[in-house]
Amino acid sequence: MTRDSFSGLQLGNTLFNAGDMQGALCFYTKALKLSHSQVESAVLHRNRSACYLKLEDYTKAEADASKALDADPGDVKARFRRAQALQKLGRLNEAFLDAQRCAQMEPTNNTFKEMLRLLGAQSQKKVTIQMSSTDARVQQMFSLLLDPSAQPSDRQKAAQNLVVLSREEAGAEQIFRNDGVKLIQSLLGSNQEEVVLSALRTLVGLCTGHQSRTMAIVNELGMEQLCGVMGSGASAVSLAACHLLQVMFEALTEGMNREIRGKDEAILPEPSRELRSMLRHLVEMMPASSVSGPGRDSAINLLVKQVPRKSQRNPDNSLTLWVIDQGLKKILEVAGTVPEMSEGPPLTDNSHMSCSVLLSKLYDDLKSDAERENFNKLCEEYVQHHFGRPGLESKLRAIQTVSVLLQGPSDVGNRTLEMSGMMDAVISLCASEVVCHQQVAVEALIHAAGKAKRASFITANGVALLKDLYKKSENDQIRVRALVGLCKLGSAGGTDFSMKQFAEGSTLKLAKQCRKWLCNESLPPTSRRWAIEGLAYLTFDADVKEDLVEDRNALQAMFQLAKSEDKTVLFAVGSTLVNCTNSYDVDKPDPQMVELAKYAKQHVPEEHPKDAHSFVEKRLMKLLEAGVVSALVCMGKQESPALTETCRECIARVFLALVERQEDRGTVVAQGGGKALLPLVSESTDVGKTKAAQALAKITITSNPEIAFPGERIYEVVRPLVSLLTLDCTLLQNFESLMALTNLAGISERLRQKIIKEKAVPKVEGYMFEEHELVRAAATECMCNLVLSTEVQQLYVATGNDRLKLLVLYSGEEDERLRKAAAGTLAMLTAEQPELCARIPGTTSHWLEILQALLLSDSLELRHRGVVVMLNLMQAEKSLAETLMESEALEILSVLAKSTEQSSISRAAQHCLDKAIEYGIIKKPEEGGEGNEP
């Protein structure tokens, strides 16, 4: 504590006791400006909070008490003052929690007990008033909605008000208890779309996080009516109903969220009957011709989200087995529907892709070979049934089903493709004169070409056919599909420059035609989507990448399609961008193995010259200029089965590439990239989660985290960063995670507590022993900020470990960055926990030399840390001060005290000498004397 701030505190206390609140406030404020200690600042904030309470400025009183608690959560006086301020501000629940904590810390304090009793009574009174007020508002809305003479606009407004009321627990309970579900049921039959939407949104409020209400609503309304609403033609209503069913599923599977609505402790019946009822109705929607295309897509989306296990560690896949048993053939009905033919349910452009994702999810959730064999058998029976029937329409249905399976569970698709006569039928139908027949066959051929097993067969038998279709067909929809088939076959060598399938320049011509079709707005969106599919394959070639990023119109057309309602384009756009940014994983071969392979005349992959770092960097800049970030943000927000985990991985990879350059990170954050990355760390493949977490780390290192992730969002960043502290991640990922956590730990106590809660401290300690000097220093820097928390300080106070010894030894290392971090941690620990000072001489026999070396360092920062540690040791114990003054430290401190290089160092050195004089170890120098004498 500095002399000036100490005197300010004392004067403030004197004036406070004398009743001069304004005067005390003035001195506390001045002392805060002069304070350099966190502990001292906490005391000043606590005392100033008391002044504001007396002056009835409760907002400032609450703010100052919170600042004191940020520094020391165990400060009971600050917590009590915050409770008083919150009570006056009417925030009774928060005040009650603070008062309850005070009573727990001091159980015999009658003041705290009385405040708890008073707050309990006030809270009860407030709830009673709210309930009666809410009840009156609910009754008013019901009266309007039930009044046949009311104006439509008034009824609509009343329905919207019910939505608002249902979002509060008191309102939701009043609606439910007043037989509101029956009223809502009648509103679902309204001719006004807005009224139906309001009814659905009110039900969302009633069901969110409340299992018992959800079970009652499912039983009262019946799934038939809810699925009927979702299957209606209006897309907004269908989406709202889909959201309601999603909320119902979550409420039934997760039970009541007791933190939010934790008043009903009754034992609830098992909701499996309601869950099965919901699933049965969703499965029955699949082939129903009365269900609209958007409604069917919503049903598929719900099955994708709710049926497969969330984690493979959960052994129960009974829901998946039930859906396969009861509904696989119904799902295949949708998969095999050819929209241009009369037979079959109505579909959207997204339906087939959604089916592929659902089938893939179901297949991946199976645990045994027997379960997978049963799945294969059911699919083969369905395809064989239709392929063996007379008539072309049945064969087309079989081929369309195979096409969907190839996009989903490809192993199953391959087996059906190998059925006798299937491949020959596909090849022959490619030459059909009927456009829709050609379209189905060409698409199947394209999907088959992606499987290595079939690519050679198609290269031998289908390339000539595809070329013929591309050159001679008069229908652009057929030409673009034939082009994609050629693109797919032409990209078989991947990024290997030496493995090109077509003649030099052919891929560039194909890509040019893809870009031309992509920019042609007169073509239907599905055909333009196929153009992007072609680019997704061709952009393995670096020449194609260069041409694409130079074509601003093509890029913006692609980004517009990514933002459109056609969700099937998402993976193609993601793959194209991954290729353009070179954000795919590349295994660099060992140079010695390359030489051996050349000697043995084995094939060695070659990188294209335009895939060099300088070219990639320029491509990234052009993509940023064209608006790639806003496209990625929109892609990540899509609620569709087409946004698969693999697709999310592509988005995460591209984001990571975009934030590689420090100067581009601000642009990415400003356009919403930071917010868009947060869902990707939990909803992606394992690789995608890691890439997204690393991108977050890069942003957190160089941007102000409070701006990049405003509000509560900043706390969501902690868990993904901690996830990078594993041996599975690279040292670079470990290093960037530690740097980012260091930034976060320096912001507030609440963030430090979040980091501690995520069990990061043992991991950070582990990396303090890492051989790589940058990682070791980064971990020590992170610990330097974490020790601001009392919980971490106690780890160093505990006996029987070498934590303190490690810091002392690191303070004497050659690596300056590590020394600064270790000495800084030591300075803070010895200030906050003086009992540690007496243990420093026992850590190593060289402790004194290490501290003296800090004082003599060329680095002002190290010198300052050293002199602060010295001061803390001298203030802790007289015996330590004697040991220090008997060494060369006395002479060094005397020189530093007279130095004009940095005032904070000279002041701290002078304080050391003053303390030695106070102890009587050295004499005060005479006026004009040479120095201090022991």
Side-chain angles (χ1 to χ4, degrees):
M1 185 177 281
T2 65
R3 287 178 178 175
D4 292 338
S5 60
F6 180 75
S7 61
L9 176 62
Q10 294 293 92
L11 285 167
N13 291 346
T14 304
L15 291 170
F16 183 89
N17 293 329
D20 183 358
M21 296 305 140
Q22 287 291 358
L25 192 65
C26 182
F27 275 105
Y28 290 145
T29 303
K30 284 180 181 176
L32 271 168
K33 291 176 182 174
L34 297 167
S35 171
H36 299 295
S37 161
Q38 192 177 16
V39 175
E40 178 189 340
S41 296
V43 174
L44 288 163
H45 276 123
R46 182 183 71 199
N47 289 3
R48 196 168 71 168
S49 175
C51 288
Y52 283 129
L53 278 171
K54 294 283 186 184
L55 294 167
E56 297 184 7
D57 190 341
Y58 303 120
T59 303
K60 288 183 179 176
E62 186 269 333
D64 268 4
S66 293
K67 286 175 184 173
L69 288 168
D70 276 345
D72 181 10
D75 188 337
V76 72
K77 285 185 181 178
R79 194 167 290 281
F80 182 63
R81 281 169 193 164
R82 186 167 76 173
Q84 290 175 300
L86 290 167
Q87 181 187 21
K88 294 292 184 182
L89 290 167
R91 292 155 63 182
L92 299 179
N93 288 342
E94 294 170 71
F96 186 86
L97 289 172
D98 272 343
Q100 193 176 46
R101 184 75 188 276
C102 290
Q104 286 168 351
M105 288 191 277
E106 293 185 14
T108 58
N109 192 314
N110 290 325
T111 307
F112 298 161
K113 289 179 183 176
E114 177 58 24
M115 188 177 193
L116 264 178
R117 187 194 65 75
L118 186 63
L119 282 167
Q122 286 179 334
S123 295
Q124 189 59 45
K125 186 179 177 183
K126 187 176 177 182
V127 167
T128 305
I129 293 168
Q130 277 182 341
M131 287 294 280
S132 60
S133 169
T134 302
D135 190 31
R137 284 190 292 160
V138 168
Q139 292 298 341
Q140 185 187 359
M141 297 309 115
F142 279 12
S143 299
L144 266 172
L145 289 165
L146 292 168
D147 184 1
S149 62
Q151 293 292 322
S153 58
D154 290 339
R155 286 167 62 85
Q156 190 171 317
K157 197 175 288 182
Q160 288 168 348
N161 287 338
L162 265 190
V163 177
V164 176
L165 285 167
S166 71
R167 288 172 183 162
E168 302 168 8
E169 173 57 19
E173 196 60 26
Q174 287 296 331
I175 293 168
F176 184 72
R177 287 182 180 179
N178 283 285
D179 219 9
V181 178
K182 280 189 178 174
L183 174 65
I184 293 166
Q185 188 170 19
S186 68
L187 295 180
L188 289 174
S190 171
N191 294 325
Q192 289 180 275
E193 187 175 302
E194 282 301 318
V195 171
V196 176
L197 287 171
S198 296
L200 291 167
R201 288 164 186 161
T202 303
L203 288 170
V204 167
L206 297 181
C207 294
T208 300
H210 206 299
Q211 190 185 67
S212 58
R213 277 206 297 257
T214 303
M215 289 173 72
I217 289 167
V218 169
N219 287 315
E220 189 166 345
L221 288 181
M223 276 302 297
E224 196 168 334
Q225 182 172 11
L226 290 172
C227 287
V229 173
M230 189 169 74
S232 68
S235 59
V237 170
S238 178
L239 284 171
C242 179
H243 177 55
L244 169 61
L245 290 172
Q246 173 77 20
V247 167
M248 285 177 159
F249 268 115
E250 287 169 1
L252 291 173
T253 51
E254 294 172 19
M256 188 182 287
N257 184 340
R258 300 193 183 280
E259 270 187 35
I260 299 170
R261 308 175 187 248
K263 295 167 188 167
D264 182 5
E265 294 291 336
I267 297 172
L268 298 170
E270 178 63 39
S272 59
R273 186 171 68 86
E274 285 78 10
L275 279 171
R276 292 287 164 93
S277 168
M278 293 173 79
L279 288 174
R280 186 173 65 256
H281 279 86
L282 290 176
V283 166
E284 285 170 1
M285 286 179 74
M286 293 292 109
S289 57
S290 58
V291 176
S292 68
R296 184 170 288 96
D297 286 355
S298 294
I300 295 171
N301 196 4
L302 282 167
L303 290 170
V304 167
K305 287 182 177 178
Q306 297 303 327
V307 174
R309 292 169 291 168
K310 301 292 184 287
S311 167
Q312 293 297 315
R313 289 192 292 272
N314 175 11
D316 183 14
N317 68 342
S318 58
L319 282 182
T320 296
L321 295 175
W322 186 88
V323 169
I324 291 170
D325 183 50
Q326 301 291 319
L328 181 58
K329 292 198 174 178
K330 292 182 174 75
I331 297 165
L332 293 174
E333 283 289 315
V334 180
T337 298
V338 180
E340 290 78 8
M341 292 160 58
S342 57
E343 191 183 340
L347 304 184
T348 68
D349 291 339
N350 302 310
S351 299
H352 282 145
M353 176 62 79
S354 298
C355 261
S356 294
V357 174
L358 175 57
L359 290 165
S360 184
K361 289 274 186 184
L362 293 173
Y363 187 73
D364 291 343
D365 200 43
L366 299 176
K367 295 189 296 183
S368 66
D369 289 343
E371 290 174 358
R372 283 184 280 273
E373 185 56 38
N374 179 56
F375 189 100
N376 272 300
K377 185 183 171 188
L378 290 170
C379 291
E380 284 177 17
E381 283 175 0
Y382 178 85
V383 172
Q384 185 63 57
H385 170 70
H386 285 283
F387 192 68
R389 283 172 63 188
L392 195 55
E393 284 192 7
S394 288
K395 285 185 169 50
L396 283 168
R397 175 174 281 278
I399 293 169
Q400 180 62 57
T401 307
V402 171
S403 192
V404 169
L405 285 168
L406 285 166
Q407 291 176 83
S410 55
D411 289 345
V412 182
N414 271 324
R415 276 183 59 166
T416 54
L417 193 65
E418 287 165 8
M419 288 166 60
S420 176
M422 181 65 71
M423 203 66 210
D424 293 331
V426 170
I427 295 286
S428 64
L429 276 170
C430 283
S432 170
E433 292 181 2
V434 182
V435 172
C436 77
H437 296 178
Q438 261 192 320
Q439 201 167 295
V440 170
V442 172
E443 285 181 20
L445 195 63
I446 293 166
H447 298 311
K451 316 303 161 194
K453 203 171 184 181
R454 284 281 158 192
S456 57
F457 173 85
I458 294 163
T459 304
N461 299 281
V463 170
L465 177 62
L466 289 170
K467 282 183 179 177
D468 204 43
L469 285 172
Y470 171 56
K471 289 176 181 175
K472 295 180 182 177
S473 176
E474 294 178 4
N475 188 300
D476 278 345
Q477 293 186 44
I478 297 299
R479 291 187 68 214
V480 73
R481 284 163 173 78
L483 174 61
V484 172
L486 292 170
C487 294
K488 204 167 187 179
L489 293 168
S491 65
T495 57
D496 185 354
F497 184 46
S498 61
M499 286 279 286
K500 294 301 158 194
Q501 303 293 314
F502 294 155
E504 188 72 31
S506 294
T507 50
L508 287 174
K509 287 178 186 174
L510 292 172
K512 186 177 179 181
Q513 186 59 51
C514 282
R515 298 201 312 274
K516 182 181 172 184
W517 270 323
L518 175 58
C519 296
N520 185 355
E521 293 185 8
S522 64
L523 282 175
T526 47
S527 295
R528 295 173 70 204
R529 184 254 294 176
W530 280 103
I532 301 176
E533 288 269 357
L535 289 170
Y537 294 111
L538 292 176
T539 45
F540 282 120
D541 187 323
D543 287 317
V544 175
K545 301 177 198 183
E546 288 293 311
D547 284 355
L548 177 59
V549 296
E550 291 294 338
D551 190 339
R552 186 74 172 263
N553 291 335
L555 285 179
Q556 291 186 335
M558 180 168 72
F559 296 157
Q560 282 304 314
L561 276 173
K563 298 174 187 178
S564 72
E565 291 185 9
D566 184 2
K567 312 298 189 301
T568 56
V569 79
L570 295 176
F571 184 69
V573 174
S575 300
T576 303
L577 291 173
V578 165
N579 291 341
C580 287
T581 56
N582 281 39
S583 48
Y584 41 73
D585 293 325
V586 179
D587 291 327
K588 295 281 184 185
D590 186 315
Q592 289 184 333
M593 295 303 292
V594 170
E595 290 304 315
L596 282 170
K598 285 179 179 175
Y599 179 74
K601 295 184 180 178
Q602 294 292 316
H603 172 69
V604 179
E606 293 177 24
E607 185 181 66
H608 195 293
K610 289 181 182 176
D611 275 330
H613 178 71
S614 58
F615 283 92
V616 175
E617 202 169 82
K618 286 174 187 172
R619 289 203 291 267
L620 286 164
M621 289 168 68
K622 288 185 185 297
L623 287 168
L624 281 167
E625 288 166 10
V628 67
V629 176
S630 64
L632 291 170
V633 169
C634 284
M635 288 167 69
K637 286 179 181 174
Q638 299 283 5
E639 279 291 327
S640 166
L643 186 64
T644 59
E645 288 186 348
T646 310
C647 189
R648 286 190 174 95
E649 181 191 315
C650 290
I651 297 170
R653 284 178 180 276
V654 178
F655 266 128
L656 180 57
L658 292 170
V659 297
E660 189 63 40
R661 290 198 332 149
Q662 188 174 324
E663 51 267 45
D664 293 332
R665 292 172 195 171
T667 305
V668 173
V669 170
Q671 293 177 17
K675 181 182 176 182
L677 278 164
L678 289 170
L680 298 176
V681 295
S682 56
E683 299 171 4
S684 183
T685 62
D686 289 341
V687 172
K689 289 173 186 175
T690 303
K691 300 287 183 187
Q694 190 179 1
L696 284 173
K698 287 179 185 288
I699 290 169
T700 309
I701 291 167
T702 53
S703 306
N704 180 343
E706 292 173 290
I707 295 171
F709 310 103
E712 293 296 304
R713 206 169 286 145
I714 194 170
Y715 301 99
E716 295 177 42
V717 178
V718 174
R719 182 172 293 175
L721 294 180
V722 175
S723 73
L724 294 176
L725 297 179
T726 65
L727 295 174
D728 294 333
C729 294
T730 64
L731 273 181
L732 176 62
Q733 289 165 344
N734 299 155
F735 173 71
E736 289 177 334
S737 169
L738 290 164
M739 292 276 286
L741 287 169
T742 302
N743 270 5
L744 293 179
I747 291 172
S748 71
E749 177 61 22
R750 191 179 163 198
L751 267 169
R752 287 191 286 277
Q753 287 299 320
K754 175 67 175 171
I755 293 169
I756 293 165
K757 188 180 176 183
E758 293 295 337
K759 299 182 173 59
V761 175
K763 295 180 179 182
V764 173
E765 285 188 307
Y767 284 102
M768 287 173 71
F769 293 94
E770 175 58 51
E771 286 183 21
H772 196 289
E773 60 182 31
L774 283 175
V775 177
R776 187 169 63 237
T780 311
E781 285 170 346
C782 189
M783 186 57 70
C784 186
N785 281 351
L786 286 171
V787 293
L788 291 168
S789 285
T790 310
E791 203 173 318
V792 181
Q793 291 168 19
Q794 291 306 313
L795 295 173
Y796 285 86
V797 171
T799 55
N801 65 72
D802 290 330
R803 290 186 175 96
L804 190 63
K805 180 179 181 178
L806 183 68
L807 291 177
V808 175
L809 291 173
Y810 276 179
S811 298
E813 285 286 309
E814 289 182 10
D815 179 8
E816 188 173 308
R817 183 173 175 178
L818 179 62
R819 286 180 78 195
K820 284 178 184 176
T825 312
L826 207 54
M828 278 191 278
L829 280 170
T830 50
E832 300 293 333
Q833 302 291 339
E835 62 190 279
L836 289 173
C837 296
R839 284 160 48 184
I840 285 179
T843 56
T844 170
S845 57
H846 302 292
W847 71 278
L848 197 51
E849 295 167 38
I850 290 169
L851 293 184
Q852 287 173 0
L854 289 174
L855 297 178
L856 293 168
S857 172
D858 293 333
S859 164
L860 291 176
E861 290 178 64
L862 281 173
R863 220 180 294 168
H864 183 252
R865 286 161 170 75
V867 77
V868 169
V869 174
M870 284 279 188
L871 178 59
N872 293 339
L873 293 177
M874 293 188 70
Q875 288 175 333
E877 285 188 15
K878 184 179 177 181
S879 60
L880 283 172
E882 286 172 341
T883 305
L884 292 171
M885 290 300 100
E886 288 166 5
S887 71
E888 293 175 14
L890 171 60
E891 187 180 343
I892 301 168
L893 288 169
S894 300
V895 173
L896 290 176
K898 295 174 185 176
S899 171
T900 56
E901 259 189 298
Q902 191 170 334
S903 59
S904 59
I905 295 174
S906 55
R907 277 203 308 272
Q910 187 58 54
H911 285 321
C912 288
L913 298 174
D914 291 347
K915 195 69 185 175
I917 293 166
E918 186 187 318
Y919 284 141
I921 302 169
I922 62 173
K923 294 176 183 176
K924 190 173 183 178
E926 300 294 329
E927 199 67 39
E930 289 300 314
N932 297 300
E933 291 285 339

